[in-house]
Amino acid sequence: MRLESDEKHKLLTTLPSVDELLKSSAGNSWLLSFPRLTVLQAIRDTIAEKRKALFDGLFPDLSPEILIGEIEERIRKFNSYSLLPVINATGIVLHTNLGRAVLSEKTIKNIVSAGSGYSNLEYDIETGKRGKRHTHTERLLKQITGAEDALIVNNNAAAVFLCLNTLAKGREVIVSRGELVEIGGSFRMPDVMDASSAVLREVGATNKTHLYDYENAINENTGLILKVHQSNYKITGFTGDVKIEELVGFGKKHGIPVMYDVGSGCLLDLKPFGIYTEPTVQEIVKSGVDILSFSGDKLLGGPQGGVIAGRQKYMEYIRKNPLARALRIDKLTIAAFEATLMEYIDLENAKEDIPVMKMLLQTPEEIRLRAGKIAAALRRRIKNASFSVIKDTSMAGGGSLPETEFPTFAVSVKPGRISVNELESRLRNSMPPVIARIKDRLLLLDARTVRKQDIPGIVSAVDYSINLP
Ligand SMILES: *Cc1c(COP(=O)(O)O)cnc(C)c1O
C-alpha cells in the first residue's frame, strides 16, 4: 500500500522545521554541548531522510521522540572520529586492514614530539642554512643496512614506481614470470610498470626461470633487471629461480643495473627462530645489488613508507627525479622512521621493543599464559558463556612469511544464546571494536596480537555482545 498524495502532504506538515527543532529544549541542550554546525547538519540530514521516505511512499515514524533520538545519534557520530583504535584478536600481526605495524613506544613519543612543535626538518642547525629532510634517516639506514645511500618515500609501491621511472623510463625491464606479483589488489607489478612508463619484458615460466632466459631477453633497450620477492605466495614443487647473487654478476657483465623489490624489509635474522624464507635486507645489500626497496610497515615494524637503498650513482638519479618530491614523506613519518631505526642499532633490543618482532617471536608458552589470563578475566565477569584455551596457528599477514605458521593459543568463546557468527558481528560493532576470527565454527580470540592493556576492552565487549537485550 502506498501513501496517497494528500496523506503525504498532511504528514509533511507535521514534520518540524529546522528552526523549530533548534529552538526546542532538546535543540538548546545540543547547542550547549556541540558545535552549531554539527547540530544543524544532524537536524537537516534527519529531516531530509524523513522527507525522502515520505516521498518514496513509506510510513516514517515522525514522533518527536524518534526524531530527537535520530538527531542525537547523528550528532554523536559526527562528533566522533572515523578512524578508531580496534582490538586485533585475529592473531595476524601485520593485518593490512587493521593498520599493519603497531609502533614502538619510543616511535610514538618521537611522533608526538615532532608534531607538537617546530623542528629542524629542513634546517641545518649548525650553519643556519637550509637542510634536507632525508638526512635525518639516511645515516641510520646506511649504518643498519650497509647500503651506500638510502631514501624513504611514501610506501614500497611508490619506491618501486620511482625506481622504474628513473632507471627504465621507456626502456625494458626484465622480470621473471614467477615474480609478477599482485599485492593486495591495487599493486600489480605489470600495472606499476605501465604507470611508470617502463616496458615489462617477462621471461621464463611461472615455476622456473633460468639465467639463460634473462640472457636471451637482453637487447640494446634493456634498462633494468628486476627481481621481486614472492612475499605473499609460494610456488612449490618443480621450481627454480635465479639467485640475486647470480643476477648481480650477470648485470655487471652486461652493464645493466639490477634491482630487488624485497617486499617486507626484515632487518633481523629470523633463522634462529626457524624461519628460513625471509632474507634480511643486510644480506641482500651484501649480494651487491644496485638498488633494493622494501616497506616500512611490514616486518620492519615502523610507519608506512618505502625505503630505497643502494649504489650512490643510482640513488642520485632517483633523488633528482621530480616525482621524488611528489612521493616524499612528512615530518611525522620521518620522526617515526628515525625512532624505529634507532631501535635496530642493537638487534637484541629490537626483538623486545619493536612490537611486530615481539608479537611474532613470542614463545608459545608466553602466548598460552596470556590466553589463560584473558579466559580468566572473561570467566570472572561473564557467567552465561563458556571459555576455553585452545592451541592453534596464526599467520604473519601483510604479505609476509606466507608459508610460516606460528603456533599460538586462543580463547574459544561458546556463547549460550546467540550464534558464533552473531557474536563475531556484535564484537566488531562494540566499543572498542574487537576483531576476532572464526575457525571450525568456533569464535577465537587469538592471544598473539592481544596486549595486556586490551584485556579490559575485550571483557567488556564480550559481555556487551553476549548480554545485549
Ligand atoms: C608489500 C609489497 C609491496 C607494496 O608495498 P607497500 O609498502 O604496501 O606499498 C611491493 N612489493 C612487494 C614484493 C611487497 O611485498
Side-chain angles (χ1 to χ4, degrees):
M1 194 179 68
R2 292 179 68 84
L3 277 169
E4 294 305 324
S5 69
D6 50 340
E7 269 181 280
K8 238 186 238 178
H9 188 75
K10 220 167 86 196
L11 275 172
L12 265 179
T13 58
T14 68
L15 200 57
S17 70
V18 173
D19 213 43
E20 279 164 352
L21 281 164
L22 262 185
K23 286 186 178 137
S24 68
S25 66
N28 276 320
S29 73
W30 296 332
L31 287 173
L32 283 179
S33 320
F34 301 101
R36 189 179 170 83
L37 262 180
T38 306
V39 174
L40 264 176
Q41 191 66 45
I43 295 177
R44 284 194 184 125
D45 286 4
T46 307
I47 291 180
E49 190 183 83
K50 296 293 176 197
R51 287 177 72 95
K52 183 173 183 307
L54 268 172
F55 280 108
D56 288 347
L58 303 167
F59 296 87
D61 190 338
L62 300 180
S63 60
E65 311 83 73
I66 291 287
L67 282 175
I68 286 171
E70 288 183 14
I71 293 167
E72 273 173 4
E73 178 61 21
R74 279 205 163 83
I75 293 177
R76 197 188 56 74
K77 267 210 186 118
F78 289 163
N79 218 46
S80 59
Y81 293 123
S82 161
L83 181 65
L84 297 171
V86 307
I87 294 175
N88 177 5
T90 65
I92 300 170
V93 175
L94 292 169
H95 199 304
T96 299
N97 303 139
L98 302 184
R100 285 200 190 155
V102 172
L103 302 175
S104 77
E105 270 172 45
K106 283 180 190 151
T107 303
I108 300 298
K109 279 207 185 107
N110 209 32
I111 295 173
V112 171
S113 119
S116 44
Y118 295 103
S119 63
N120 61 336
L121 179 65
E122 290 187 351
Y123 184 80
D124 186 328
I125 290 175
E126 265 175 44
T127 62
K129 295 209 172 83
R130 185 184 171 153
K132 290 194 178 122
R133 68 176 55 214
H134 293 295
T135 54
H136 305 291
T137 45
E138 215 175 277
R139 183 188 58 82
L140 280 167
L141 277 171
K142 290 200 284 202
Q143 187 181 342
I144 296 163
T145 67
E148 282 178 16
D149 197 359
L151 171 76
I152 308 175
V153 292
N154 255 318
N155 49 34
N156 191 28
V160 173
F161 174 82
L162 184 63
C163 293
L164 292 176
N165 183 267
T166 310
L167 304 173
K169 189 174 177 177
R171 308 189 68 190
E172 287 182 9
V173 179
I174 309 181
V175 189
S176 157
R177 289 201 171 89
E179 298 172 4
L180 289 172
V181 303
E182 166 174 322
I183 289 119
S186 51
F187 182 93
R188 277 185 159 182
M189 199 41 92
D191 301 340
V192 175
M193 196 81 70
D194 261 359
S196 72
S197 310
V199 181
L200 172 62
R201 180 69 194 259
E202 303 174 31
V203 297
T206 309
N207 58 332
K208 262 196 189 231
T209 303
H210 305 271
L211 194 58
Y212 60 72
D213 293 317
Y214 290 89
E215 185 101 53
N216 291 339
I218 281 197
N219 60 48
E220 63 285 354
N221 198 30
T222 305
L224 185 71
I225 295 164
L226 175 65
K227 187 169 178 63
V228 184
H229 188 54
Q230 299 166 344
S231 322
N232 52 1
Y233 69 106
K234 197 77 201 166
I235 299 177
T236 55
F238 183 62
T239 64
D241 61 350
V242 181
K243 299 282 157 277
I244 187 65
E245 290 79 8
E246 277 181 85
L247 280 182
V248 167
F250 174 75
K252 261 209 193 88
K253 194 173 106 193
H254 294 273
I256 298 167
V258 177
M259 171 173 170
Y260 196 168
D261 171 7
V262 190
S264 269
C266 190
L267 297 176
L268 273 181
D269 188 3
L270 299 179
K271 288 188 217 58
F273 302 93
I275 300 163
Y276 297 94
T277 50
E278 191 64 32
T280 63
V281 169
Q282 296 88 322
E283 282 164 4
I284 291 165
V285 170
K286 275 212 190 87
S287 75
V289 73
D290 296 296
I291 292 288
L292 68 154
S293 75
F294 52 90
S295 295
D297 53 354
K298 291 187 182 170
L299 289 174
L300 194 147
Q304 180 188 303
V307 179
I308 307 173
R311 295 212 188 286
Q312 197 144 23
K313 174 171 103 176
Y314 299 112
M315 293 302 300
E316 284 307 322
Y317 294 134
I318 291 167
R319 271 210 180 79
K320 288 198 182 110
N321 187 328
L323 285 168
R325 164 68 196 249
L327 303 175
R328 79 177 187 184
I329 51 175
D330 77 312
K331 62 182 176 186
L332 301 184
T333 305
I334 290 174
F337 261 106
E338 192 174 12
T340 303
L341 290 169
M342 199 80 97
E343 310 258 28
Y344 280 99
I345 295 290
D346 174 356
L347 295 179
E348 280 308 312
N349 162 77
K351 264 175 235 159
E352 279 305 309
D353 284 4
I354 301 280
V356 167
M357 283 300 142
K358 200 174 162 72
M359 285 187 211
L360 279 176
L361 303 178
Q362 289 168 98
T363 64
E365 186 52 22
E366 285 173 281
I367 306 177
R368 193 181 64 80
L369 286 175
R370 191 146 10 84
K373 280 186 190 147
I374 301 168
L378 285 164
R379 283 187 202 112
R380 267 198 300 280
R381 169 100 156 254
I382 304 157
K383 305 296 177 195
N384 54 347
S386 68
F387 307 98
S388 48
V389 172
I390 67 155
K391 195 172 189 307
D392 197 30
T393 52
S394 34
M395 306 298 290
S400 305
L401 310 173
E403 68 275 51
T404 310
E405 289 191 336
F406 296 84
T408 194
F409 285 88
V411 178
S412 157
V413 184
K414 285 214 183 72
R417 298 186 300 146
I418 55 173
S419 72
V420 160
N421 288 322
E422 178 63 23
L423 176 60
E424 187 271 341
S425 148
R426 288 185 187 180
L427 283 173
R428 255 191 284 124
N429 288 287
S430 64
M431 198 48 87
V434 173
I435 319 299
R437 64 187 159 88
I438 293 178
K439 189 180 173 189
D440 302 334
R441 279 185 277 152
L442 293 176
L443 183 124
L444 299 184
L445 303 166
D446 191 325
R448 173 182 299 280
T449 44
V450 174
R451 292 139 338 141
K452 213 165 69 195
Q453 65 263 39
D454 295 330
I455 297 178
I458 289 198
V459 172
S460 69
V462 174
D463 189 15
Y464 163 87
S465 302
I466 285 182
N467 294 312
L468 205 65

